Amino acid sequence: MQLTHHALVRSAQRSIPLSIIETILDYGDPKPASGRALRILFDTASIRLAAEGNRRLQSELERYRNTYLIVGDSDSIITVARSRRRHFDN
């Protein structure tokens, strides 16, 4: 996992730990973003998948629902943010 300086700063400002960034990379829902970038969203389905039936872990991960990563074409994480829009997912 390679983060740009910008992504490191943003994750610290937004209180998103590196362990959550790794979890989003592993379980998040990837969608195309502008250019050749990829937006990986940590939605409800991703949280359930990451928690693997562990209700306590699922509850802890809920705090990061709708957090997303933007990954560039060089596979480095460009930024980390929380979506302001509501995503209606299952």
Side-chain angles (χ1 to χ4, degrees):
M1 174 175 72
Q2 181 180 355
L3 280 80
T4 62
H5 175 72
H6 176 81
L8 283 170
V9 170
R10 292 293 183 243
S11 67
Q13 289 174 334
R14 296 169 177 154
S15 300
I16 302 168
L18 293 178
S19 62
I20 294 298
I21 293 172
E22 288 178 10
T23 302
I24 295 170
L25 278 174
D26 291 340
Y27 297 100
D29 183 25
K31 304 280 184 196
S34 59
R36 291 184 285 183
L38 192 64
R39 181 177 186 261
I40 304 175
L41 176 66
F42 200 49
D43 57 8
T44 302
S46 304
I47 291 169
R48 286 185 190 143
L49 190 61
E52 298 178 343
N54 182 330
R55 289 183 182 259
R56 181 175 180 204
L57 177 57
Q58 184 172 340
S59 177
E60 291 170 9
L61 292 175
E62 285 291 331
R63 175 179 181 198
Y64 301 100
R65 180 187 297 175
N66 295 331
T67 297
Y68 66 91
L69 312 175
I70 300 295
V71 180
D73 59 353
S74 63
D75 289 335
S76 60
I77 299 169
I78 298 169
T79 196
V80 179
R82 295 176 191 260
S83 180
R84 292 180 186 210
R85 286 187 192 173
R86 290 194 58 176
H87 295 276
F88 298 97
D89 50 38
N90 299 326

